[in-house]
Amino acid sequence: MKKSYKIDVDCAACADKMEVAASKTPGVKEASVSFMTLKMKVEFEDGADSAAVMQEVRKNCKKVESDCEIFL
């Protein structure tokens, strides 16, 4: 399953950090972050609970970029 989320981030380098953090989160098959469109696209592993996984993605992104936001 793939979903798209609106994000708020200050710079392209910060968006790259968010992409890496999201990609490393268990339950995420693939993640991409676009600074230009302020969107995060996430493909989830089969059987993953997208809501629970996105809570972890948000926590992991906040660790690398404390002022970022993902609108769930």
Side-chain angles (χ1 to χ4, degrees), residues 21-29 44-45 48 52-54 56-57 60:
S23 295
K24 291 181 178 179
T25 303
V28 174
K29 188 173 188 178
F44 299 95
E45 296 284 350
V53 170
M54 284 308 296
E56 291 302 311
V57 167
N60 291 341

Side-chain angles (χ1 to χ4, degrees), residues 53-69:
V53 170
M54 284 308 296
Q55 291 297 330
E56 291 302 311
V57 167
R58 179 187 265 168
K59 285 182 197 173
N60 291 341
C61 287
K62 290 274 189 189
K63 288 178 189 173
V64 296
E65 193 53 49
S66 61
D67 64 347
C68 73
E69 187 55 72

Side-chain angles (χ1 to χ4, degrees), residues 29-41:
K29 188 173 188 178
E30 184 179 351
S32 64
V33 175
S34 171
F35 175 67
M36 295 300 287
T37 62
L38 292 176
K39 297 262 184 192
M40 174 185 282
K41 293 182 181 175

Side-chain angles (χ1 to χ4, degrees), residues 1-53:
M1 171 179 29
K2 292 182 182 180
K3 289 192 175 185
S4 181
Y5 300 91
K6 185 177 182 326
I7 62 168
D8 184 29
V9 65
D10 295 331
C11 67
C14 300
D16 286 340
K17 289 180 191 176
M18 287 178 68
E19 183 174 306
V20 170
S23 295
K24 291 181 178 179
T25 303
V28 174
K29 188 173 188 178
E30 184 179 351
S32 64
V33 175
S34 171
F35 175 67
M36 295 300 287
T37 62
L38 292 176
K39 297 262 184 192
M40 174 185 282
K41 293 182 181 175
V42 180
E43 182 176 355
F44 299 95
E45 296 284 350
D46 291 338
D49 177 1
S50 61
V53 170

